[in-house]
Amino acid sequence: KLKEDGISSVLTSQLLHVLRPLQRHGDVPDFLLCVDQVKDHHADIAEAWAFPAKDQYQRIKECLKRVLLREERVNTSYDFFVRLRPDL
């Protein structure tokens, strides 16, 4: 159902069930997005990258490269990297 509704429904679900609970706990995670195309920008998304990928493994690899470059650019270090699956 989320796939049919589009990225705004997926993002709403991720904000509601992942980001907001972390924020209520006092954490301030950077929400980074790797997708085929970026249609809308949401204030909770720290950065979004759009690029083609032949499969999920290539997308993860390319996304992680961008996250590592972001770490250097904004002078930060991430403790963990989480891939959210809206289809599960």
Side-chain angles (χ1 to χ4, degrees):
K1 174 110 174 89
L2 287 175
K3 189 171 187 159
E4 294 170 3
D5 292 341
I7 193 166
S8 62
S9 295
V10 172
L11 179 60
T12 299
S13 177
Q14 291 173 350
L15 291 172
L16 178 66
H17 299 292
V18 179
L19 193 61
R20 296 294 181 254
L22 287 170
Q23 290 171 333
R24 282 192 299 271
H25 188 264
D27 296 312
V28 185
D30 283 343
F31 193 74
L32 308 171
L33 187 62
C34 295
V35 293
D36 291 326
Q37 61 182 348
V38 177
K39 293 180 183 177
D40 301 316
H41 181 74
H42 192 278
D44 287 302
I45 299 173
E47 192 161 352
W49 301 286
F51 54 90
K54 64 181 179 182
D55 56 39
Q56 63 180 322
Y57 303 107
Q58 183 185 25
R59 180 158 319 278
I60 293 167
K61 181 179 176 182
E62 294 301 319
C63 190
L64 183 55
K65 285 181 187 177
R66 287 162 173 78
V67 170
L68 294 172
L69 289 171
R70 177 184 165 79
E71 282 183 329
E72 291 178 19
R73 192 178 72 248
V74 300
N75 194 29
T76 193
S77 178
Y78 295 110
D79 295 321
F80 55 92
F81 179 90
V82 176
R83 177 176 180 244
L84 301 175
R85 293 278 310 261
D87 58 331
L88 296 179

